[in-house]
Amino acid sequence: MLGSGVREAAAALRLGQLTPTELCQKSLSLIKETSFLNAYITVTEELALKQAAEADKRFQQGKPLGVLDGIPIAIKDNFSTKNIETTCASKMLKGYIPPYNATVVQRLFDQGAVLMGKTNLDEFAMGSGSTDGIFGPVRNPWSYSKQYREKRKHACPDGDENSDWLITGGSSGGSAASVSAGTCYVALGSDTGGSTRNPASHCGIVGLKPTYGLVSRHGLIPLVNSMDVPGILTKCVDDAATVLGVLAGHDPQDSTTIQDHFQPFTLPDVIDVTKLCVGIPKEYHAPGLSSEILALWSKAADLLENAGAKVVEVSMPNTCYSIVCYHVLCTAEVASNMARFDGLEYGHRADVKDSTEAMYSATRREGFNDVVRGRILSGNFFLLKQNYEKYFLKAQKVRRLIADDFVNVFRSGVDVLLTPTTLGDAAPYLEFIQEDNRTRSAQEDVFTQCANMAGVPAVTVPAGLSSRGLPLGLQFIGQAFCEQQLLSVAKWFEKQTDFCLLACHENGHIVKQQKITWSLRHGDLRAHLTSHQFIYIYALYAV
C-alpha cells in the first residue's frame, strides 16, 4: 500500500499510479466527510482542481516542478492568499481578500502544491486551543477513536458523546487537524509561542518551528513580530525537511530573513547518534507535568543513551521567568500590531457616523473578541510612559537572559535539548474552556515559548500514547540555523518509536489499528501499544 508521506505520494504521481486530479478529488471528498472537525474556514475547491489539472499536464509531459508538485496542502488563515478570503478567524477581517500571496504560500505554489483551503485558528492566533475564533472550535480527529470513546464511556458513563470531544491545541489547530485527518499532506501554521508544536503534539503529527529569520514572514499577518515564525505540520520528519527546503532562504520583502543562500538537504536513512550530546533541562520538570509525559521523557532519554548518545542534565536558570516575560512582550507587540485594524482601509467597519473616532472605537469593539481586546489593553498598559521601563524594558532584558541560557548550554557541548511539548494529552473541550484563555495559554506554552524568545529551532515528534489512547509528543530544540542536525535527530527518534498512522474510516467505524513500538533500556524488551484512531488516509493504492 502507498504510504502517507510526501515522498511516497510524489513517487506514485511520477509513476502514474494516480494523477494529481485524482489525489485532489480524494482530498476534497475527505474534507467534506470530516467537515464536523471544523478544520477549514475556506475550502478552495475550484482553485485546487485548477492547480491539480495544471499538475496533470506537467506530469504528462514528464516535467514536474518538484517533489511537492500535485501534493495537497492547507494554509492557516492568517497567511495572505491572493484573491482568497483571509480572516484570521476574526470578524475584523471577515470578507478581506488580500491582493498578494505570502512568500511561503507563493513558494509552495511555485513548486506545484495544490491548495485545499484555509484552516481554522484562534482569533488572530491568540490562544492554545483553537477554540476562540468566530468560526467555532476545531475538533481533534482523535476524539473519535474507538479506544478513546470506550475508555471515556467507562470513565463518564453519563457523558454526552456529541459534546465530549477533544481540543486540537492551538493556535494552528485547523492545520494540525487537517494533516492528522488525512485531508492534506502538508499544512502551514504560525508559531509565536508554540502554536505549531502544541497542536502537532495533541494531534499525533510532526510540528516544526524553524530558526527565526530562516523562513520569510512576509504576508503572515503579524501577532508578535520578534517571535512569529511560519511553522510546518506534516506526518513525518522527512516531509518537514522537504517543505523547509522549499520555504527557507532570503526574501527581499522581509528584512529579518537570512542573507546567506539556504541549501536544501535530505535526511539520511541511517543516522549515527553516538557522537551526539543531548541536554535534559532540569527546569522543564514543570508543575502540572503529567506522569505519563514524564515517563515518556525518561524513556526517550534512555533510548538515546542506549544508542550511544551522551545524555546530560543541564540548567537553564531563567526558564522560570519566561512565561511572565513572554506575556509582557507578547501583549506589547500585539497592541502595536492591532492598531492597524481601524475600519478605515480594510476589514470590518462599524455603522457609526458620529465621528471618525467613534467609528474607530466601535469598529474595534465589534471586530475583536474579548481575548484580543484584553491583550491590546494589557500591552498598552505595559507601554505607558510610566510603565515602560518597569515592564517592557525589564522583560526585554529577561528575554536576553533566556536567550543566553540557550547559548551557554550549546556552547558547553550540548547539540540538542530534549523536552516535553505539552503538559499532557489533549483536553476535552468542556474541560478546557473552564479556564480563561490567558491562563490556558500560560499553562500550555510553558515548554515551547522559550524557543521563540531565543529564536532557535524546535520540532515536536509523536512519541507514544497516553492511557486514554491519545498521542503524546516530545520536543527537540536545536542550535540556530542547525535544522539539518535537529531534524536528523528527530528522524532517528521517529524511527525508534515507530509511530505509524495507518488507520482509515469506513462507514463510521475504525477498520485498522495504530502500533507504537518502544525500544526500551533493559534487554530486548519491546512494549507494543495499540490504539484505534479516526485518521483518514486518502491515498491508499496498491504499489
Side-chain angles (χ1 to χ4, degrees), residues 78-86 96-106 109 118 216-222 251 253 340 346:
N78 60 346
F79 287 90
S80 294
T81 44
K82 186 176 181 179
N83 298 328
I84 302 170
E85 185 179 21
T86 300
Y96 169 62
I97 299 177
Y100 69 99
N101 285 321
T103 296
V104 288
V105 174
Q106 189 60 52
F109 286 173
K118 305 293 292 294
S216 173
R217 293 182 296 110
H218 174 68
L220 168 60
I221 296 173
D251 178 13
Q253 299 185 90
R340 73 191 69 193
Y346 48 79

Side-chain angles (χ1 to χ4, degrees), residues 37 140-142 174-184 199 202-205 234-235 471 501 533-537:
L37 297 176
N140 193 324
W142 288 74
S175 290
S178 67
V179 174
S180 179
T183 60
C184 65
H202 285 325
C203 292
I205 60 174
T234 59
K235 292 176 181 175
L501 298 179
Q533 60 176 340
F534 187 74
I535 302 296
Y536 291 80
I537 299 302

Side-chain angles (χ1 to χ4, degrees), residues 17-205:
Q17 294 171 341
L18 73 163
T19 67
T21 294
E22 290 173 338
L23 192 55
C24 176
Q25 290 171 337
K26 285 184 174 294
S27 185
L28 290 169
S29 176
L30 285 167
I31 289 172
K32 293 175 183 177
E33 290 180 30
T34 59
S35 60
F36 59 89
L37 297 176
N38 203 27
Y40 289 84
I41 291 175
T42 302
V43 179
T44 54
E45 181 172 357
E46 184 176 345
L47 174 63
L49 291 170
K50 178 182 177 182
Q51 290 176 328
E54 292 170 352
D56 284 345
K57 294 178 182 178
R58 290 191 292 270
F59 277 99
Q60 289 168 6
Q61 297 168 358
K63 298 179 180 179
L65 295 175
V67 71
L68 294 181
D69 204 353
I71 299 297
I73 64 167
I75 306 292
K76 187 176 180 180
D77 202 31
N78 60 346
F79 287 90
S80 294
T81 44
K82 186 176 181 179
N83 298 328
I84 302 170
E85 185 179 21
T86 300
T87 68
C88 288
S90 173
K91 183 178 180 180
M92 182 61 80
L93 283 181
K94 199 169 187 298
Y96 169 62
I97 299 177
Y100 69 99
N101 285 321
T103 296
V104 288
V105 174
Q106 189 60 52
R107 289 184 177 180
L108 288 170
F109 286 173
D110 290 343
Q111 289 292 308
V114 177
L115 179 63
M116 308 316 302
K118 305 293 292 294
T119 57
N120 204 349
L121 65 153
D122 289 298
E123 182 166 332
F124 280 102
M126 299 185 201
S128 59
S130 298
T131 59
D132 291 321
I134 62 167
F135 299 101
V138 185
R139 299 187 179 204
N140 193 324
W142 288 74
S143 305
Y144 304 94
S145 71
K146 182 178 179 180
Q147 179 172 333
Y148 170 72
R149 282 297 187 183
E150 289 177 348
K151 289 178 179 291
R152 191 68 178 170
K153 187 174 182 179
H154 287 304
C156 305
D158 298 326
D160 180 1
E161 288 191 6
N162 294 322
S163 62
D164 187 23
W165 48 268
L166 305 161
I167 63 158
T168 56
S171 62
S172 305
S175 290
S178 67
V179 174
S180 179
T183 60
C184 65
Y185 281 95
V186 176
L188 291 188
S190 61
D191 197 310
T192 306
S195 289
T196 294
R197 290 159 286 157
N198 175 290
S201 178
H202 285 325
C203 292
I205 60 174

Side-chain angles (χ1 to χ4, degrees), residues 210-216 244 247-250 256-258 262 481 483:
T211 304
Y212 184 86
L214 185 61
V215 179
S216 173
L244 180 66
L247 302 182
H250 178 65
T256 64
T257 53
I258 57 171
F262 177 79
F481 303 107
E483 269 78 2

Side-chain angles (χ1 to χ4, degrees), residues 278-358:
V278 180
I280 308 293
K282 63 181 181 181
E283 289 81 7
Y284 280 53
H285 287 265
L289 181 65
S290 74
S291 58
E292 291 179 320
I293 292 283
L294 186 59
L296 203 62
W297 189 16
S298 178
K299 287 181 180 180
D302 289 346
L303 189 64
L304 284 158
E305 194 170 45
N306 290 340
K310 182 180 180 182
V311 179
V312 297
E313 183 180 72
V314 297
S315 177
M316 306 183 72
N318 294 291
T319 299
C320 59
Y321 309 117
S322 63
I323 284 292
V324 175
C325 175
Y326 175 77
H327 174 70
V328 173
L329 296 177
C330 174
T331 55
E333 292 197 42
V334 163
S336 175
N337 282 323
M338 294 297 109
R340 73 191 69 193
F341 301 109
D342 54 16
L344 295 177
E345 297 180 68
Y346 48 79
H348 174 70
R349 177 182 292 185
D351 188 20
V352 175
K353 301 178 181 178
D354 297 344
S355 67
T356 301
E357 288 186 355

Side-chain angles (χ1 to χ4, degrees), residues 292-529:
E292 291 179 320
I293 292 283
L294 186 59
L296 203 62
W297 189 16
S298 178
K299 287 181 180 180
D302 289 346
L303 189 64
L304 284 158
E305 194 170 45
N306 290 340
K310 182 180 180 182
V311 179
V312 297
E313 183 180 72
V314 297
S315 177
M316 306 183 72
N318 294 291
T319 299
C320 59
Y321 309 117
S322 63
I323 284 292
V324 175
C325 175
Y326 175 77
H327 174 70
V328 173
L329 296 177
C330 174
T331 55
E333 292 197 42
V334 163
S336 175
N337 282 323
M338 294 297 109
R340 73 191 69 193
F341 301 109
D342 54 16
L344 295 177
E345 297 180 68
Y346 48 79
H348 174 70
R349 177 182 292 185
D351 188 20
V352 175
K353 301 178 181 178
D354 297 344
S355 67
T356 301
E357 288 186 355
M359 184 277 292
Y360 181 96
S361 176
T363 294
R364 292 167 67 79
R365 182 178 64 252
E366 295 174 7
F368 294 136
N369 69 5
D370 292 342
V371 174
V372 178
R373 290 200 299 269
R375 292 201 188 189
I376 291 172
L377 289 170
S378 295
N380 282 317
F381 174 81
F382 296 137
L383 292 173
L384 289 172
K385 182 178 179 180
Q386 62 267 34
N387 294 332
Y388 184 83
E389 290 191 9
K390 183 179 179 181
Y391 294 105
F392 183 74
L393 191 59
K394 185 176 290 185
Q396 291 283 32
K397 292 178 179 178
V398 173
R399 179 179 183 175
R400 171 56 60 188
L401 294 175
I402 292 169
D404 286 345
D405 282 348
F406 284 93
V407 171
N408 294 334
V409 164
F410 291 134
R411 281 180 178 172
S412 71
V414 171
D415 297 301
V416 296
L417 298 172
L418 172 63
T419 79
T421 307
T422 59
L423 290 168
D425 58 11
Y429 172 71
L430 295 179
E431 177 185 313
F432 183 84
I433 60 175
Q434 293 302 309
E435 294 185 280
D436 62 274
N437 177 286
R438 178 180 172 181
T439 301
R440 275 295 186 182
S441 294
Q443 293 170 340
E444 299 298 328
D445 292 345
V446 63
F447 301 120
T448 54
Q449 43 77 28
C450 283
N452 293 81
M453 287 198 285
V456 295
V459 61
T460 184
V461 182
L465 293 177
S466 70
S467 60
R468 297 193 298 164
L470 300 176
L472 301 171
L474 291 177
Q475 176 180 229
F476 291 95
I477 303 174
Q479 303 176 61
F481 303 107
C482 291
E483 269 78 2
Q484 185 168 4
Q485 181 187 56
L486 174 68
L487 292 176
S488 294
V489 176
K491 179 179 178 179
W492 179 90
F493 178 73
E494 178 184 61
K495 291 176 72 174
Q496 310 311 306
T497 56
D498 192 25
F499 191 99
C500 304
L501 298 179
L502 295 175
C504 61
H505 178 262
E506 181 179 342
N507 299 322
H509 301 288
I510 307 306
V511 297
K512 291 194 177 183
Q513 290 186 322
Q514 168 170 0
K515 182 178 75 175
I516 299 172
T517 306
W518 265 105
S519 296
L520 298 179
R521 160 176 282 195
H522 300 292
D524 196 28
L525 178 63
R526 299 174 70 83
H528 299 276
L529 304 178

